[in-house]
Amino acid sequence: MAKRVAVIGAGVSGLSSIKCCLDEDLEPTCFERSNDIGGLWKFTETSKDGMTRVYKSLVTNVCKEMSCYSDFPFQEDYPNFMKQEKFWDYLQEFAEHFDLLKYIRFRTTVCSVTKRPDFSETGQWDVVTETEGELDRAIFDAVMVCTGHFLNPRLPLESFPGIHKFKGQILHSQEYKIPTGFQDKRILVIGLGNTGGDIAVELSRTAAQVLLSTRTGTWVISRSSNGGYPFNMMATRRHNFTAQVLPSCVLKWSRERGLNKRFDHTNYGLNITKGKKPKTIVNDELPTCILCGTVTMKTGVKEFTETSALFEDGTVEENIDVVIFTTGYTFSFPFLEEPLKSLCTKKTFLYKLVFPSNLERTTLAMIGFISLTGSILAGTELQARWATRVFKGLCKIPPSQKLMAEATKKEQLIERGLMKDTIGDKLDYISYMDELAACIGTKPNVPLLFLKDPRLAWEVFFGPCTPYQYRLMGPGKWDGARNAILTQWDRTLKPLKTRIVPDSSKPASMSHYLKAWGAPILLASLLLICKSSLIFETGARKTMGQNFSLLNKYLARINLLGYEGCTKSY
């Protein structure tokens, strides 16, 4: 008999969780409190239902090839970065293609998830739900919580003296949908994350003036990279040799220098405040709006009056009509019982940010409570693949006693200042994905690929680390993964080729030849190194050092040329 799994939420994480259950022959039942799939990606005109939804103009920050489900690429004519409506269409296509909708119970709220009396033996849960006023109780063998990060708006009014005197309009970004109603007003946006930047830019087109307040500053990156290619595809790659050999201070200097090439962040009032954690946002228009004066950067707000705001630098802005807080969200699990509820809000006590450390049976998984430098969708899908295999007994995790001891020790070290608190930092995309993939047995074996399929290996190692890489081998292997990787640049360039330009018949560039012959040369170099070390024992160290030096120079040249314009190997 198949194990029954309760999936809470039918957003991006919930849909992948349903599919992963089906892939492992588990029986999912998904509970979604709204009337449709997509979670925050399903746009609504209002927020009266209390759910967080995207604003109408939202555009994705991660390009389509880096943010798709690993066995379901976007259609080739979809734009690389898309508005919410287009992205929701993709989610609908995914759900229909894998026939997921029949497993979802809409307009159903999960009231409680509690351990059954025999939990230590069975790992089962009692799940109470409410549908249009009627309560229902069911027993499940496992639970996947997919309610996301954006549950409860964080509105820290207590941190802003005088805010209750302010006579203008106050709202959280959760309530913002469209710019209608903000024409010719003076608007103060508090908080400079992706949402704060987006809202400030959009309102600057119709408002009399937009003031954007930040206590920390931020680095602003564009969606496009050198040559106009999607930034994510150029930056998220496995062959980051420099990061492995250069000191962190040199890397920091190099990155900051690169970010300031587009515009000097200090001149634009965007530089990171000394002592604050570095952070980045994706915004193509904010620097231009600052340059044109439609957005004015301000420091943190010190105090409000009835109509004005006093800032930390001593300046005052009068006649403010609207204050929009883009101060983020808090996540909670009201349906869980204590102490599990409190424990799950502490990411330190989530093993690999998925499994609560205190459960003697690993039958509860938190899916999607991560912050990555890459696609959250790809990360949550891999979490779901791992979790369902753990439920089925195909993957093992350490006992709860060991996990709790390790988590408690880490928390104590952080509190004592002996360990850096990185809980709020974004996780490195490739490192985290590889860590989960290793647990499943789906991490790409690059050396083996170079021996068996050099062309594919080249794209995996030197190309963008797209989600398809985690479908090449092991459990859940997808036969279309190889082709998806080899054609990913075709799908990237397809929506751009709307005006056919006659071929200028330029001769092939040196970078083309380097990429075409790179894999065979790399293999030959490695074989020569090994051979030399066996034949010439007395001079082995010197020979290998010379070979490695030449090889490193060669790879550095390939890396440089490939980054600056090469998009396809073949």
Side-chain angles (χ1 to χ4, degrees):
M1 188 180 197
K3 289 186 176 182
R4 299 187 65 204
V5 181
V7 179
I8 305 176
V12 166
S13 304
L15 292 176
S16 59
S17 295
I18 298 171
K19 179 182 176 294
C20 290
C21 284
L22 297 174
D23 290 343
E24 297 296 341
D25 297 319
L26 302 174
E27 184 182 322
T29 301
C30 179
F31 302 106
E32 169 56 45
R33 60 175 172 160
S34 73
N35 61 357
D36 213 335
I37 65 169
L40 61 86
W41 288 99
K42 180 62 177 178
F43 175 77
T44 58
E45 295 290 344
T46 66
S47 299
K48 292 181 180 179
D49 58 2
M51 296 185 64
T52 301
R53 310 282 192 174
V54 295
Y55 36 94
K56 187 68 173 177
S57 61
L58 181 70
V59 176
T60 57
N61 289 334
V62 182
C63 64
K64 66 178 182 180
E65 292 300 305
M66 301 296 297
S67 62
C68 63
Y69 291 111
S70 58
D71 56 355
F72 192 74
F74 280 90
Q75 295 181 34
E76 63 176 10
D77 60 344
Y78 271 41
N80 285 283
F81 297 93
M82 59 201 77
K83 296 183 70 172
Q84 61 81 211
E85 185 177 5
K86 203 72 172 175
F87 188 83
W88 185 86
D89 288 343
Y90 170 74
L91 297 179
Q92 186 75 25
E93 293 165 5
F94 176 78
E96 292 176 354
H97 179 80
F98 293 105
D99 199 17
L100 307 181
L101 297 177
K102 65 183 180 183
Y103 299 98
I104 305 174
R105 290 175 54 182
F106 293 106
R107 299 185 182 87
T108 300
T109 301
V110 175
C111 302
S112 67
V113 176
T114 56
K115 293 188 286 188
R116 287 184 57 76
D118 58 351
F119 179 82
S120 58
E121 287 80 32
T122 65
Q124 292 182 327
W125 301 84
D126 278 322
V127 178
V128 178
T129 58
E130 183 267 322
T131 307
E132 298 180 353
E134 293 187 7
L135 294 179
D136 184 41
R137 183 186 301 272
I139 300 172
F140 289 91
D141 299 295
V143 178
M144 304 178 80
V145 180
C146 308
T147 50
H149 263 126
F150 307 98
L151 201 59
N152 306 309
R154 181 176 175 269
L155 195 60
L157 298 181
E158 67 282 353
S159 300
F160 296 88
I163 188 65
H164 298 293
K165 301 177 185 176
F166 182 69
K167 292 185 176 180
Q169 183 182 3
I170 299 174
L171 66 152
H172 189 273
S173 55
Q174 185 197 50
E175 304 171 69
Y176 179 81
K177 300 297 178 182
I178 54 177
T180 303
F182 296 94
Q183 293 91 337
D184 302 321
K185 294 187 176 182
R186 285 175 56 80
I187 301 169
L188 171 60
V189 178
I190 296 179
L192 183 50
N194 283 310
T195 300
D198 285 349
I199 292 178
V201 166
E202 181 167 58
L203 290 177
S204 71
R205 302 186 184 106
T206 57
Q209 182 64 49
V210 174
L211 309 167
L212 181 53
S213 170
T214 175
R215 286 193 172 105
T216 62
T218 188
W219 295 109
V220 181
I221 61 177
S222 174
R223 289 177 173 84
S224 62
S225 182
N226 295 344
Y229 302 109
F231 175 82
N232 314 112
M233 295 187 74
M234 303 302 290
T236 312
R237 303 190 173 203
R238 294 182 176 277
H239 70 288
N240 195 357
F241 301 120
T242 55
Q244 299 172 12
V245 298
L246 292 179
S248 59
C249 59
V250 176
L251 285 173
K252 181 176 179 290
W253 172 82
S254 176
R255 289 167 183 164
E256 292 180 0
R257 184 171 178 270
L259 288 167
N260 278 324
K261 275 187 175 181
R262 181 184 170 204
F263 67 93
D264 191 312
H265 284 63
T266 300
N267 292 340
Y268 281 65
L270 291 165
N271 56 304
I272 303 290
T273 304
K274 187 176 181 180
K276 298 294 184 180
K277 288 184 177 181
K279 68 173 186 176
T280 61
I281 66 170
V282 178
N283 199 300
D284 298 292
E285 300 178 68
L286 181 58
T288 302
C289 290
I290 296 172
L291 193 64
C292 295
T294 56
V295 173
T296 301
M297 294 304 303
K298 304 295 294 185
T299 59
V301 177
K302 184 177 180 181
E303 185 180 0
F304 280 97
T305 68
E306 293 182 351
T307 60
S308 64
L310 170 66
F311 294 89
E312 292 173 349
D313 60 359
T315 59
V316 179
E317 292 289 344
E318 303 283 354
N319 303 317
I320 295 176
D321 300 300
V322 183
V323 176
I324 303 177
F325 285 87
T326 62
T327 43
Y329 297 82
T330 59
F331 58 92
S332 61
F333 313 102
F335 42 79
L336 294 179
E337 58 185 343
E338 292 291 1
L340 183 61
K341 179 193 295 188
S342 299
L343 197 74
C344 287
T345 61
K346 300 179 180 180
K347 292 186 177 182
T348 306
F349 289 89
L350 291 178
Y351 179 61
K352 299 190 186 300
L353 298 177
V354 177
F355 292 105
S357 301
N358 67 329
L359 295 178
E360 59 268 41
R361 292 281 184 171
T362 52
T363 56
L364 176 68
M366 320 302 288
I367 307 297
F369 299 95
I370 50 174
S371 182
L372 296 177
T373 56
S375 168
I376 299 297
L377 182 150
T380 59
E381 182 193 29
L382 207 53
Q383 285 183 326
R385 291 175 64 186
W386 179 41
T388 50
R389 291 186 65 78
V390 170
F391 294 159
K392 201 172 180 181
L394 300 174
C395 293
K396 303 294 182 182
I397 70 172
S400 61
Q401 297 89 340
K402 181 179 180 181
L403 296 180
M404 281 297 292
E406 291 176 351
T408 302
K409 181 179 179 181
K410 182 178 180 181
E411 187 178 52
Q412 291 173 347
L413 291 173
I414 292 173
E415 290 175 353
R416 292 160 58 186
L418 300 177
M419 178 182 289
K420 184 180 178 182
D421 184 6
T422 59
I423 297 301
D425 297 347
K426 287 188 175 182
L427 298 171
D428 179 74
Y429 174 77
I430 295 180
S431 298
Y432 184 69
M433 294 287 281
D434 279 357
E435 185 179 356
L436 293 184
C439 295
I440 306 170
T442 59
K443 180 181 176 181
N445 188 332
V446 179
L448 181 62
L449 282 178
F450 268 113
L451 294 175
K452 296 175 61 177
D453 193 340
R455 180 185 180 191
L456 175 62
W458 183 274
E459 289 292 349
V460 169
F461 190 67
F462 291 104
C465 184
T466 43
Y468 320 121
Q469 293 193 11
Y470 300 99
R471 292 283 183 179
L472 286 171
M473 55 190 64
K477 178 182 177 181
W478 175 44
D479 291 338
R482 181 183 188 275
N483 182 65
I485 292 171
L486 296 181
T487 58
Q488 57 197 9
W489 282 109
D490 295 331
R491 289 188 300 278
T492 298
L493 298 178
K494 174 68 174 180
L496 305 179
K497 304 286 188 179
T498 55
R499 172 177 170 261
I500 305 302
V501 181
D503 186 7
S504 58
S505 301
K506 291 182 179 179
S509 64
M510 176 61 70
S511 59
H512 170 80
Y513 291 117
L514 284 173
K515 296 197 79 179
W517 291 95
I521 293 174
L522 178 62
L523 285 173
S525 299
L526 292 173
L527 290 173
L528 284 173
I529 291 170
C530 295
K531 185 176 180 180
S532 298
S533 64
L534 292 173
I535 297 176
F536 305 104
E537 293 183 0
T538 56
R541 290 184 180 180
K542 181 179 179 181
T543 303
M544 289 181 68
Q546 292 172 343
N547 282 332
F548 272 123
S549 177
L550 292 171
L551 182 60
N552 282 333
K553 290 179 180 179
Y554 165 72
L555 291 175
R557 177 60 178 163
I558 294 176
N559 182 26
L560 178 63
L561 291 172
Y563 184 85
E564 291 181 344
C566 294
T567 60
K568 294 175 67 178
S569 297
Y570 300 89

